[in-house]
Amino acid sequence: MTKDKKANRLIQEKSPYLLQHAYNPVDWYPWGNEAFEKAKSENKPVFVSIGYSTCHWCHVMERESFEDPEVAELLNQYFVAIKVDREERPDIDSVYMTVCQLMTGQGGWPLTVFLTPDKKPFYAGTYFPKNSQYGRPGMMDILPQLHRAYHQDPDRIADIGSRLVEALKEEAGRKSEGDVTEEAVHKGFEQLAGKFDSLYGGFGEAPKFPSPHQLLFLFRYYHMTGKGSALKMAEKTLDTMAAGGIYDHIGGGFSRYSTDGMWLVPHFEKMLYDNALLMYAYTEAYQITKNERYRRIVLEIADFVAREMTHPEGGFYSAIDADSEGEEGKFYVWSKEEIMDVLGEETGTIFSELYHVTDQGNFEGKNILHLLQTDLETIAANHELSIEELENLMSKAKQLLFQAREKRVKPHVDDKVLTSWNGLMIAALAKAGSVFDDPGLLSQARKAMDFLEKYVWKEKRLMARFREGEAKYRGYLDDYAFLLWGTLELFLAEDDLHMLSFAIELKNALFERFWDENGGFFFTDRDGEELLVREKPGYDGAYPSGNSVAAYQLWRLAKLTGDIELMKRVEMCVRSFSKELNAFPVSMLYMLEAAMALFAQGREVIVIGSNGSEKRAVLWRCREEFLPFDVWSGHRPEWLEGAAKQKETDLLVFICENQACKMPMEDLSTALKAISRS
């Protein structure tokens, strides 16, 4: 298809998103000095388009505009055009997304921003069609208009840019110095409960996003207060999502979000971070409830990731596209006829009843499979089957449908390995592996960690992206914070001191490269590219902010190492966001979890002795229970040396709380009971 087209500069890039645009007639530049120097020398404004390779509306805008010769002619004549992969350059994306939100009140991708040659914004939006329609301005109109405005009214353009930069600096430079109170924790719960959809679960109206960090907060709130409604909200959400079309019932894994309120019609792209955090949430739900359905979902996600999103050496790919053959969801949906052809009349009829398959379909004439409002018992009875027989039959049916689906044209896989999102998936796999005592899950996590240590950890510094042998871009806050999470989960799962040592190295790099003396962490490395502002993010988005994850995980590390100074810095980090946390805590729920950890203080469980089976039994009890504010180790830490001399014993268990250690326990049953708080 591209053999007759001329490649532009993007052909030299590694980003799958930039490469998708390498044969556009637009004279694209990657972000860099060359583009901005050209803009200065020719006195042209800069057109910046930011997106990612699995973004549906990015594909639409490319087809409508960037592949169109008329649009390309205007861009090439009047602007210097730059393409940015938001997943490789979240720093650029974050700054200009804030601009878009300031100017329009909303954001999203594709993100479209017009800049002066000194990178100051003067106009922003998201998706623009080729021609104006439905009240949305089109490229053929706004490009000439903005070209004229830039040259005919430069003072106004400069003034807009200056005011926006000042607004950005004001947002980035805010300070908070007060305490976060327990009142904020309860307020956060109340605010979240006020948004809860009691019918279908989730929070807010359509479109609905999984936002797993909200569920993690509810679990901890339930643990802290015993409030059953918190657990019920989380379970309702997890149950309905797993039953809905947002979950891939054939191949496993969750789509990005649901376009409706009942989790039926997904936006079909699958992101690594969503599946990582949902795996973590379903694992914790299992810890609390022991519901086997949650274990099944976790294992299905892990299988999906291993099969479709894993580099041969162990790292994890970023995302899978919503589109295939130019159509959103085509790979995932089914006609009634296709179901019957694969399964046969009898099994196909039962499957169609169970998964709501009809002749007319529920999505553009086809069917998104789902279990919403499915009455398993009635269907089993109607077909004279036991529940077990029905489940076995459907399991075999899904295998047949999976095999049939594998013959279809598959969606594009964005195969770059992002350090940050890999950290999340390592955390989820390590957590699940430890809770379910599953060596396979732990092996997945360990292999990915080995991959990152080999390819992106260079001279005590992380790189943000790896693809085709190239590690590139100085790591951002999220890279260090999320990988620290994964590292600590692996340590708690396997008791491997190398992981604890690596966690300490990541901690040191975090403070050296990102720490703000006023408290909290900047998003970019002190040696990173200087943008309009150096942001210090605290608000949760699709996943928790780097500051909140850093705070919670550094708290855990401080508990494990007995590092009092580190604990003080964790307190500083949380305090630096106290204004927002006290006023609108629902916007920073993971930071609120860090505050809850500080309130709870938690326990350190130290297990030593020569009886390997008893030692493993105690550590297993720590792992299988839901103990969000406790840490544990099978190694005597330095800070414990003065508490007691190790005895000649088969088992010695210390439980330390509030900077004091209780008398060590030598009896296994006593230790297990103490850990369970029963």
Side-chain angles (χ1 to χ4, degrees):
M1 291 177 64
T2 58
K3 64 181 180 180
D4 298 325
K5 296 182 179 180
K6 183 182 177 182
N8 55 52
R9 294 169 187 81
L10 301 185
I11 197 66
Q12 302 299 323
E13 299 297 308
K14 294 286 189 185
S15 158
Y17 177 62
L18 300 190
L19 290 169
Q20 286 175 349
H21 295 264
Y23 289 91
N24 294 164
V26 177
D27 187 20
W28 290 116
Y29 285 78
W31 181 277
N33 289 333
E34 184 184 2
F36 289 102
E37 288 301 322
K38 179 180 173 67
K40 287 176 185 175
S41 66
E42 298 181 8
N43 190 26
K44 286 182 176 179
V46 179
F47 173 87
V48 181
S49 176
I50 304 175
Y52 55 103
S53 77
T54 59
C55 164
H56 172 71
W57 286 103
C58 300
H59 300 329
V60 173
M61 193 166 174
E62 181 188 18
R63 288 195 297 268
E64 291 181 348
S65 294
F66 302 141
E67 292 180 348
D68 184 87
E70 292 182 313
V71 174
E73 185 179 3
L74 288 176
L75 280 170
N76 295 340
Q77 184 178 353
Y78 295 142
F79 300 86
V80 175
I82 294 177
K83 260 290 170 195
V84 176
D85 184 337
R86 67 166 294 262
E87 294 170 352
E88 290 192 339
R89 295 301 305 268
D91 52 340
I92 298 169
D93 176 65
S94 179
V95 168
Y96 292 111
M97 183 62 75
T98 303
V99 167
C100 185
Q101 290 165 337
L102 287 170
M103 295 190 79
T104 69
Q106 59 186 9
W109 299 276
L111 174 61
T112 307
V113 192
F114 293 81
L115 312 179
T116 61
D118 57 356
K119 304 178 185 177
K120 292 180 179 178
F122 62 90
Y123 191 83
T126 54
Y127 159 74
F128 293 99
K130 177 184 176 181
N131 297 301
S132 301
Q133 56 185 341
Y134 308 116
R136 184 182 288 272
M139 294 286 281
M140 296 301 294
D141 291 323
I142 63 170
L143 293 177
Q145 290 170 10
L146 291 173
H147 161 70
R148 287 194 297 272
Y150 179 81
H151 290 285
Q152 294 175 8
D153 199 354
D155 291 342
R156 180 169 173 265
I157 294 295
D159 181 60
I160 292 171
S162 296
R163 284 191 285 116
L164 284 167
V165 170
E166 284 305 308
L168 286 171
K169 288 180 177 177
E170 184 178 344
E171 178 73 14
R174 68 190 188 283
K175 294 182 183 178
S176 296
E177 297 177 350
D179 289 323
V180 179
T181 65
E182 286 200 41
E183 172 84 18
V185 176
H186 302 300
K187 188 175 180 179
F189 172 73
E190 289 164 4
Q191 289 176 342
L192 190 60
K195 298 165 59 179
F196 179 65
D197 180 349
S198 59
L199 190 58
Y200 296 112
F203 304 91
E205 300 176 351
K208 272 187 181 172
F209 292 80
S211 301
H213 50 278
Q214 296 174 333
L215 306 176
L216 303 187
F217 167 76
L218 288 174
F219 294 146
R220 282 151 186 77
Y221 190 78
Y222 169 71
H223 180 80
M224 184 180 88
T225 66
K227 196 161 185 154
S229 60
L231 179 59
K232 287 179 180 177
M233 282 192 283
E235 286 190 277
K236 179 68 176 179
T237 302
L238 290 168
D239 291 343
T240 313
M241 284 196 301
I246 192 174
Y247 186 67
D248 182 356
H249 294 273
I250 300 301
F254 283 88
S255 295
R256 177 69 196 90
Y257 63 85
S258 173
T259 62
D260 59 277
M262 60 188 294
W263 306 105
L264 174 59
V265 180
H267 182 49
F268 289 90
E269 65 181 328
K270 292 179 176 178
M271 311 301 295
L272 184 69
Y273 60 79
D274 283 320
N275 282 282
L277 290 169
L278 283 165
M279 181 188 293
Y280 200 98
Y282 278 97
T283 300
E284 290 201 334
Y286 174 85
Q287 280 183 299
I288 298 167
T289 67
K290 301 299 185 283
N291 187 330
E292 284 294 325
R293 183 169 65 254
Y294 297 149
R295 183 206 294 259
R296 176 179 61 78
I297 295 294
V298 169
L299 296 179
E300 288 177 358
I301 296 173
D303 285 345
F304 150 68
V305 170
R307 185 181 65 245
E308 299 183 35
M309 298 189 75
T310 302
H311 186 283
E313 292 186 62
F316 302 116
Y317 300 144
S318 299
I320 300 176
D321 210 329
D323 298 11
S324 57
E325 300 181 85
E327 294 182 28
E328 185 180 9
K330 185 174 181 178
F331 181 76
Y332 299 102
V333 296
W334 300 83
S335 68
K336 179 75 174 285
E337 185 180 5
E338 287 172 324
I339 296 290
M340 303 306 282
D341 284 347
V342 173
L343 300 181
E345 186 71 26
E346 185 177 350
T347 302
T349 299
I350 299 172
F351 185 91
S352 296
E353 287 181 36
L354 200 68
Y355 287 93
H356 303 276
V357 177
T358 63
D359 291 324
Q360 64 272 24
N362 55 25
F363 180 76
E364 299 178 358
K366 296 289 186 73
N367 291 275
I368 299 168
L369 305 181
H370 70 94
L371 293 167
L372 296 165
Q373 299 168 337
T374 293
D375 187 337
L376 203 66
E377 292 184 357
T378 299
I379 293 172
N382 288 344
H383 294 278
E384 299 180 346
L385 296 168
S386 69
I387 296 293
E388 186 179 359
E389 287 171 332
L390 178 60
E391 289 177 339
N392 288 337
L393 182 65
M394 292 302 97
S395 178
K396 292 174 182 176
K398 287 195 289 184
Q399 289 174 12
L400 291 171
L401 290 170
F402 176 81
Q403 292 165 10
R405 198 176 78 172
E406 284 292 284
K407 297 173 183 176
R408 297 176 177 178
V409 176
K410 294 185 177 181
H412 155 75
V413 177
D414 188 319
D415 62 356
K416 66 177 178 289
V417 176
L418 295 173
T419 301
S420 58
W421 299 359
N422 270 250
L424 295 177
M425 183 53 75
I426 290 168
L429 286 165
K431 174 82 170 183
S434 66
V435 171
F436 303 137
D437 196 21
D438 189 320
L441 298 178
L442 290 173
S443 177
Q444 269 184 275
R446 168 59 69 181
K447 196 173 179 182
M449 181 64 76
D450 292 344
F451 181 98
L452 297 181
E453 287 193 83
K454 179 179 179 180
Y455 290 116
V456 303
W457 179 241
K458 306 288 186 183
E459 299 177 350
K460 308 295 183 183
R461 163 183 281 154
L462 286 172
M463 306 304 286
R465 184 270 285 151
F466 178 88
R467 187 171 187 266
E468 294 185 346
E470 178 191 69
K472 192 175 181 181
Y473 304 111
R474 294 180 187 273
Y476 309 103
L477 169 61
D478 289 2
D479 296 300
Y480 289 84
F482 295 1
L483 188 56
L484 176 63
W485 189 355
T487 304
L488 289 175
E489 291 293 351
L490 263 177
F491 172 73
L492 294 171
E494 297 187 328
D495 208 39
D496 179 358
L497 283 177
H498 171 65
M499 283 295 95
L500 187 60
S501 177
F502 188 35
I504 292 169
E505 289 187 313
L506 290 172
K507 176 264 294 184
N508 291 339
L510 262 171
F511 284 104
E512 180 185 349
R513 302 188 176 282
F514 300 93
W515 180 246
D516 178 7
E517 291 304 320
N518 294 313
F521 298 91
F522 293 109
F523 186 72
T524 52
D525 192 310
R526 59 176 172 77
D527 297 331
E529 179 181 349
E530 187 174 341
L531 299 175
L532 296 177
V533 292
R534 195 179 181 202
E535 294 188 306
K536 192 168 74 174
Y539 294 111
D540 298 327
Y543 42 79
S545 74
N547 265 290
S548 60
V549 173
Y552 197 162
Q553 302 309 321
L554 288 170
W555 175 86
R556 296 171 96 188
L557 183 61
K559 295 283 285 182
L560 282 165
T561 58
D563 190 333
I564 295 171
E565 290 304 311
L566 176 57
M567 190 65 78
K568 290 178 180 177
R569 287 203 175 186
V570 171
E571 292 170 358
M572 278 186 70
C573 182
V574 173
R575 281 170 60 89
S576 70
F577 296 95
S578 61
K579 183 178 178 181
E580 296 89 343
L581 278 169
N582 288 323
F584 198 55
V586 75
S587 65
M588 293 185 175
L589 286 178
Y590 202 87
M591 184 67 78
L592 202 58
E593 293 176 39
M596 292 164 73
L598 289 167
F599 296 142
Q601 297 196 12
R603 304 176 299 175
E604 304 88 44
V605 181
I606 310 300
V607 191
I608 52 183
S610 58
N611 189 319
S613 62
E614 288 192 345
K615 184 176 178 180
R616 283 192 297 273
V618 176
L619 290 172
W620 163 243
R621 176 58 55 88
C622 294
R623 294 162 182 157
E624 70 171 337
E625 296 275 330
F626 182 64
L627 304 171
F629 306 127
D630 293 351
V631 296
W632 49 88
S633 172
H635 305 273
R636 180 191 287 264
E638 291 182 6
W639 56 265
L640 189 60
E641 289 296 335
K645 298 292 184 182
Q646 182 164 353
K647 304 176 182 178
E648 292 293 328
T649 181
D650 291 335
L651 179 72
L652 202 61
V653 179
F654 295 87
I655 295 183
C656 307
E657 200 168 4
N658 298 322
Q659 290 81 50
C661 295
K662 299 175 183 177
M663 291 295 294
M665 290 167 281
E666 300 179 43
D667 177 68
L668 177 62
S669 62
T670 303
L672 295 177
K673 187 176 181 181
I675 290 167
S676 299
R677 297 182 183 267
S678 57

